[in-house]
Amino acid sequence: MAGASKRFARAARRAAESCLLLALATLPTGARCGTIETEHLFGFTIGSDVGDVGERELEGSVTGRFAKRNGLYGATESTMSAEFVPIANLRTEITGAVVSYDIAGVSGLADQRYAAFGGLSADIRYRLLDRASAPFGLAVGAEPHWGRADEVTGEPGRQYGVDFVAAADWEIVPDRVVAAFNLLYQPETMRSNMTGTWSQESTAGIAFAVMAQVRSGIFVGGEARYLRKYDGLGLDALAGQGFFIGPTIYVKLSEKAWITVAWSAQAAGQATASSAGALDLVNFERRQARVLFGVNF
């Protein structure tokens, strides 16, 4: 197991370094007018755009996570959000979620089959650099959230956490091709309803995406993510790591409506607590899918 873990760590580092080098290689050297709106362009990655002052929007999403090492595993989260841009460069959002689980015969997990109200979150994002006046766009964000179940196991409880992100994007080819790069840190704590005990974990990672406009208002491309799961809020002990990659498509349905569809599969991974296989199917899933949509008003 130690040898396999070391081999995967080296492969994951090479993949992460390749993504970072590609991102740095495509960075523009001079100011460029940003013409592509990146706020909703990606499925799993975040763009730096935050919308215009006074903009109001209703957004929805459905995220599915499927397949563990054995048995039946399906977890779905459906959300509805209200977004408002009160001042220049500041985006605010309130979200409610419904979760469902269909788990049977998965090693290490109790069988679960239910759907319920999942929790609430608030997203605050601030744009530091605008591509219209800078070589690239840059934004930072925080999304505190409260949930009623463990995200992976579906076990009922009280979960609290914050998702922090730093997001950069730039147009490789003006009005045609755009790239984005994210740094992620997500600490969480949970109290189990069954045992009353508290547990802490955190996730750190990077994400990289490239999208190309093939027709007016239609973008296709791909996204890659490298995620590391830790025990403890401060990245204390590595529990596992996974590398995900897959395609994304964005369609602007009208001047006020849009939809994004993304698929992501775990291409490499390793759980520190398991020697079975080359993927981390303890902390992550084999496949993930996401549909996002929204309407401005």
Side-chain angles (χ1 to χ4, degrees):
M1 175 180 171
S5 179
K6 290 180 180 178
R7 287 194 297 273
F8 171 72
R10 289 194 295 268
R13 281 196 296 270
R14 286 195 293 269
E17 289 167 358
S18 297
C19 287
L20 181 57
L21 288 174
L22 179 58
L24 294 174
T26 55
L27 274 171
T29 57
R32 173 179 296 157
C33 180
T35 57
I36 299 175
E37 175 64 50
T38 63
E39 183 182 2
H40 307 298
L41 193 61
F42 311 104
F44 296 96
T45 311
I46 294 174
S48 71
D49 288 335
V50 295
D52 299 324
V53 176
E55 181 177 288
R56 294 176 174 85
E57 186 171 50
L58 287 178
E59 301 176 15
S61 74
V62 180
T63 302
R65 299 177 287 110
F66 311 100
K68 291 289 188 179
R69 186 72 61 192
N70 56 9
L72 172 68
Y73 183 88
T76 303
E77 180 183 51
S78 302
T79 69
M80 185 58 66
S81 307
E83 176 201 321
F84 179 55
V85 183
I87 60 175
N89 299 315
L90 180 65
R91 176 184 185 271
T92 63
E93 184 178 272
I94 298 294
T95 300
V98 173
V99 297
S100 64
Y101 291 89
D102 191 1
I103 304 173
V106 178
S107 299
L109 300 184
D111 291 356
Q112 306 276 1
R113 191 170 189 181
Y114 71 90
F117 172 65
L120 298 170
S121 64
D123 188 4
I124 302 171
R125 199 176 307 166
Y126 186 78
R127 183 171 59 187
L128 300 170
L129 295 176
D130 188 345
R131 291 192 319 279
S133 57
F136 58 92
L138 178 64
V140 293
E143 183 179 358
H145 56 83
W146 161 74
R148 301 178 65 239
D150 182 272
E151 184 182 52
V152 175
T153 68
E155 179 185 341
R158 289 183 291 166
Q159 186 183 63
Y160 307 91
V162 184
D163 295 351
F164 297 101
V165 63
D169 52 28
W170 54 96
E171 292 184 33
I172 303 172
V173 180
D175 201 33
R176 289 294 180 184
V177 183
V178 63
F181 181 76
N182 290 176
L183 291 175
L184 310 168
Y185 171 55
Q186 301 165 338
E188 292 183 329
T189 184
M190 177 176 167
R191 183 182 187 276
S192 169
N193 285 351
M194 297 179 61
T195 65
T197 59
W198 288 89
S199 60
Q200 292 82 35
E201 65 179 27
S202 51
T203 304
I206 61 174
F208 180 68
V210 176
M211 298 287 282
Q213 186 167 210
V214 295
R215 294 183 59 183
S216 179
I218 301 178
F219 288 79
V220 296
E223 301 179 61
R225 293 171 294 150
Y226 172 55
L227 305 175
R228 293 170 66 89
K229 182 78 75 172
Y230 293 86
D231 295 326
L233 299 178
L235 310 179
D236 299 334
L238 180 65
Q241 50 194 326
F243 178 71
F244 293 81
I245 191 167
T248 302
I249 182 170
Y250 166 92
V251 179
K252 188 175 183 179
L253 302 174
S254 68
E255 286 301 315
K256 294 187 176 182
W258 55 271
I259 186 170
T260 301
V261 180
W263 172 267
S264 188
Q266 189 179 162
Q270 182 69 52
T272 58
S274 174
S275 60
L279 301 179
D280 182 355
L281 299 179
V282 176
N283 301 289
F284 305 106
E285 301 76 36
R286 190 182 300 272
R287 295 178 293 273
Q288 300 176 352
R290 179 169 290 174
V291 177
L292 304 101
F293 52 91
V295 178
N296 293 317
F297 61 94

